[in-house]
Every structure is written in C-alpha cells, then in structure tokens.
Amino acid sequence: MIKAMATHAVLSNGANTWRALACHKSELRLDLTLACGQSFRWRETADGHWTGVIGGRVWTLTQTDDTLWYHVYKQNVREASKEEKGENVGVFRNEKKLQIKCEGAMKEEEVVNLRHDKNDEATLRDYFQLKVNLCDLYKKWGARDPHFKKIADIFTGVRMLRQDPTECLFSFICTSNNHISRIQGMVERLCQAHGNFLCQLDETSYYDFPSLSALADSSVEACLRKLGFGYRARFVQQSAKQILNQHGPEWLETLRSVPYVEARDSLRAFPGVGIKVADCVCLMSLDKAGTVPVDTHVWQIAKRDYKYAASNEPKSLTDKMHKDIGDFFRNLWGPYAGWAHSVLFCADLKKFQKMKEMPHLKRAKNDYDCESMVTCKKANIKTAKKSTVKKRETQISFSKETTNLY
C-alpha cells in the first residue's frame, strides 16, 4: 500500500504547479457556477479553491480577476482498505495497477502526464463551455428583461456546465425530494461505493463517477439502501440496467445530437426520471441550451417576479405547466433560455442571499459590457520558476465565437 502524502493545492504556495487560462470573472464565477446545484461533486477546499473530478481526474480550480487557474493531480493507486471492501461501502474497483507515487511519477508515467497537459485546457474549455460568450448573453437578456438586468448586477459569471451524461443523469435521479447538501453526500457515497479510486489529498479520498455497468450490478440496490438512498436506490440500479440492455453504454452521449423533445422523452422512459430530471440532464449535459427545468421553485419565480399566471392554474405542476412556463421563458430570453434560468435560480438560493445585501460584491458599472471588459486577447502567464518556464501567450477572442448550440 502506498501512503498518500499529497495535499490540496493552493495557488499562494507557488504557481509553478498550476496552469492558467485567460478568463474574466464576468465570463465565469467559480463560487456561483460550482455551488448552484448543477454538479454535486465540487468542494471548496481552501478559500476560493474548488476541488472536484472531471474526466476521471481530480482538479483544483481557482481564479483571479482575468485568469482561471487549474491544478490536475496525478493518480495515486493503492489497495482498498478493509472498510472500503465492506458491504456498507461497496467493492473497491481499480482497473489500473500502476505504482504511481504522489510526488514525482515514474518516467514512463511522465509521458502520460505530458499528454494530459496538452488536453487539460481543452477539457476545461469544454466543461465550462467557454466558447459561449456569456458577456454577450447577459447583455441580450438584460435588454429584454429588466428583472434579469437587476439580478445580473450581482450574479455575473453563472455558466452552464457540460457534464458527463451518465454522471448528470444518475446524480439528478438522487435529487427527488431532496436538498443540495444531502444530494452531495449521496452522490459522494455512490462514488465511494462503486467508482474507481483516483487519489487521496489530505484526509479526503476522491473517486471517479461509477460506470453504467457498475451501477447496473444486481448488488447495487441493496448497497445503496444501506447508504441511505431509500427508494432512489432502485431507480439508480434499474435505470442503469435498462440503458445497458436496451441501448448500450455509449447511448446517452448520442442524445446530444438529437432534438430536445426526443432526448427528453427518451430519458423519461427510465425509472426515477420525470420531466424535471430529464430537463436538467438535457440542459446540463446534452447541449439543449433552451431547456428550462421547471419545479415549484421556478414556478414561484415566474409568479413572483414575472407575474406569470396560468389559466385554471393547478395546485401542482403538470406536464402542460412545465411546457407553458418553459415557453414563457424561452420567448423572453431566446435560444439560451436555460442559461438565463440558471442565473435566476442561483440568485434565489438561500445560500447566496447575503450577496444581495453586500454592495461591494456588485459588479463594476461596465463589468459585463463586452466593449469595456478586459478582452483577454493576450495573457502572459509567468510561473514562479522563471528559469524553467517561458512566457505563454493564450489568445481568447470571445467576440468571434458562436453561441448557437441549441
């Protein structure tokens, strides 16, 4: 067994182990985007530093005003502990049997790490959908919607993530009658029980999200019930089994290329997937940017802030209400209505209410004005070790990128 000694990276300890991507805070706010209920696997491990898993690797992200900094950890392979092999936690699985040290990988592993370095920026751009010019979208939404403009003065930089469809679907199956902090715990226990171990930082172990085949195993339901999933345990196991039996392991990703209604209805065929869960998966992992997930919370926003009133309004949400409220917001905000919805949803969460009472957190007058913000045409990033690292120039031209994904 290799004893893990690695710790969570902190930018202030030195930038030589970090890489940088030019990105203004008006285009991305980590504290809002990663904590607003899109993904349930990110934790703030130091002030302004967020650690989570993307693409089977552990990352820590932080940012300054015009730069997104990222650190990607080497895998630390070890044997499972007795506790991890227990039935209450699940069977430890790790397909890789490499002996990799936390500090200083072996020579053959260095080649792999170099390849990862070249792909890391592309992975991050895809995950945060950085080709979409959020600054321009905020301007368009604000011009159409005075209420949005008021909210945007404080809640800038809320982006939609482009998550792995399997992780997104099964995470949102856990959201039924639940709240964010409890969902986070459930998703973490799911990964510990059935995902591959990735690395240990300080006292925290990180795991990849389980594969469909791992979730479809006949032992999963009983295991998850012991972990406190309740009736959701059956939904997880049966949905995974049904997807594999009827479609195959890669099928969820193919839904990115089909129309929204087809993708939504396909997802609704699985246990535990109602219209709200299906819409969340469409918006947050399947490139359906115009999808507006509607629950009682969003319904209240529509009535309270937009004076929305349905004819013969029912006591509970129906499929027709979902469609009507979604159409209302799509007509107001346009093709990226789902992104605009996420800003208002974020602004209405209890955890962020204090931001509305703190004027110093409001944006500068022209913070999301694309003509006045720093365009990040060229960003020279210097690392702490000037003798070994040259200046790197990264060019981002937001104005030339397309925003038509829907």
Side-chain angles (χ1 to χ4, degrees):
M1 178 185 294
I2 298 175
K3 185 178 180 180
M5 300 297 292
T7 60
H8 291 96
V10 180
L11 185 61
S12 60
N13 290 342
N16 56 309
T17 62
W18 292 77
R19 295 173 70 87
L21 174 60
C23 182
H24 197 273
K25 273 192 174 181
S26 58
E27 285 292 322
L28 171 65
R29 281 276 301 273
L30 291 175
D31 57 338
L32 299 180
T33 301
L34 298 180
C36 68
Q38 295 186 57
S39 172
F40 304 100
R41 303 204 63 202
W42 291 94
R43 300 292 186 277
E44 191 173 17
T45 48
D47 187 26
H49 291 63
W50 295 83
T51 303
V53 178
I54 311 174
R57 307 184 73 202
V58 182
W59 304 59
T60 292
L61 310 176
T62 191
Q63 62 185 150
T64 48
D65 284 344
D66 58 5
T67 305
L68 175 62
W69 297 88
Y70 59 98
H71 178 96
V72 187
Y73 300 88
K74 297 181 178 69
Q75 284 190 328
N76 163 221
V77 179
R78 56 150 173 75
E79 293 296 324
S81 67
K82 292 181 179 179
E83 292 180 353
E84 287 171 330
K85 291 179 180 179
E87 61 177 3
N88 288 346
V89 179
V91 179
F92 174 82
R93 296 174 174 83
N94 203 317
E95 297 175 356
K96 297 182 179 180
K97 300 301 180 183
L98 300 176
Q99 294 296 311
I100 305 172
K101 296 181 180 179
C102 291
E103 299 296 335
M106 295 185 293
K107 290 184 178 180
E108 57 267 29
E109 190 63 21
E110 291 175 359
V111 177
V112 177
N113 290 330
L114 288 173
R115 184 170 68 250
H116 280 312
D117 286 345
K118 294 179 181 179
N119 294 331
D120 288 344
E121 182 174 318
T123 297
L124 209 57
R125 287 181 178 277
D126 180 73
Y127 186 73
F128 287 110
Q129 305 195 70
L130 292 181
K131 69 179 180 179
V132 177
N133 188 332
L134 190 63
C135 168
D136 273 351
L137 289 177
Y138 266 63
K139 287 180 64 179
K140 292 175 182 177
W141 296 328
R144 296 175 180 178
D145 178 359
H147 177 68
F148 180 90
K149 183 174 177 58
K150 179 181 177 182
I151 294 298
D153 285 349
I154 305 171
F155 292 88
T156 58
V158 180
R159 302 189 71 88
M160 292 308 309
L161 303 176
R162 190 173 191 254
Q163 301 178 62
D164 173 76
T166 297
E167 177 174 343
C168 191
L169 173 60
F170 288 93
S171 293
F172 274 93
I173 286 177
C174 297
T175 64
S176 175
N177 298 314
N178 226 335
H179 54 80
I180 291 178
S181 60
R182 186 164 183 265
I183 298 164
Q184 288 176 329
M186 291 173 66
V187 172
E188 192 58 38
R189 293 194 295 275
L190 178 68
C191 295
Q192 291 172 358
H194 301 288
N196 289 333
F197 173 82
L198 297 176
C199 71
Q200 182 172 331
L201 305 173
D202 298 313
E203 301 300 318
T204 303
S205 295
Y206 290 88
Y207 298 80
D208 200 3
F209 198 85
S211 65
L212 278 172
S213 59
L215 295 176
D217 189 270
S218 59
S219 65
V220 167
E221 180 179 349
C223 173
L224 295 185
R225 284 189 180 277
K226 292 178 181 179
L227 293 176
F229 278 63
Y231 62 88
R232 305 171 196 88
R234 178 174 60 86
F235 293 157
V236 169
Q237 192 272 333
Q238 289 190 359
S239 290
K241 183 178 180 180
Q242 193 171 324
I243 291 171
L244 286 177
N245 290 344
Q246 297 180 3
H247 303 286
E250 308 300 327
W251 174 75
L252 283 172
E253 288 196 6
T254 68
L255 296 181
R256 286 175 168 168
S257 61
V258 304
Y260 156 63
V261 173
E262 181 180 343
R264 181 200 65 195
D265 291 347
S266 296
L267 293 172
R268 292 186 68 185
F270 304 116
V273 183
I275 190 169
K276 164 66 185 311
V277 169
D279 276 351
C280 286
V281 177
C282 284
L283 175 63
M284 301 171 192
S285 68
L286 298 181
D287 301 338
K288 316 307 181 194
T291 307
V292 179
V294 177
D295 57 9
T296 54
H297 187 68
V298 175
W299 187 10
Q300 291 303 315
I301 291 175
K303 291 192 293 185
R304 183 191 67 216
D305 300 326
Y306 292 89
K307 310 306 178 187
Y308 176 87
S311 58
N312 300 320
E313 187 173 286
K315 293 182 179 180
S316 60
L317 282 166
T318 63
D319 281 8
K320 184 178 186 304
M321 284 288 289
H322 277 271
K323 181 181 184 303
D324 290 347
I325 295 173
D327 286 345
F328 170 82
F329 284 121
R330 277 185 283 272
N331 290 333
L332 177 63
W333 294 323
Y336 277 78
W339 288 53
H341 144 275
S342 71
V343 179
L344 296 189
F345 185 88
C346 177
D348 217 50
L349 290 174
K350 185 178 296 185
K351 66 170 70 176
F352 296 131
Q353 293 311 297
K354 289 185 179 180
M355 292 182 62
K356 298 176 181 178
E357 304 168 4
M358 302 171 69
H360 67 280
L361 287 178
K362 293 185 178 181
R363 65 170 177 83
K365 183 177 180 181
N366 293 318
D367 194 34
Y368 69 85
D369 183 342
C370 290
E371 282 74 27
S372 63
M373 69 170 270
V374 178
T375 58
C376 301
K377 288 184 178 180
K378 289 187 178 181
N380 295 324
I381 310 299
K382 293 182 179 181
T383 65
K385 296 182 178 180
K386 296 180 180 179
S387 61
T388 59
V389 182
K390 296 180 179 180
K391 289 183 179 180
R392 297 174 57 246
E393 290 187 344
T394 305
Q395 185 171 13
I396 301 176
S397 180
F398 292 124
S399 60
K400 294 183 180 180
E401 296 288 0
T402 179
T403 61
N404 184 19
L405 294 179
Y406 182 61

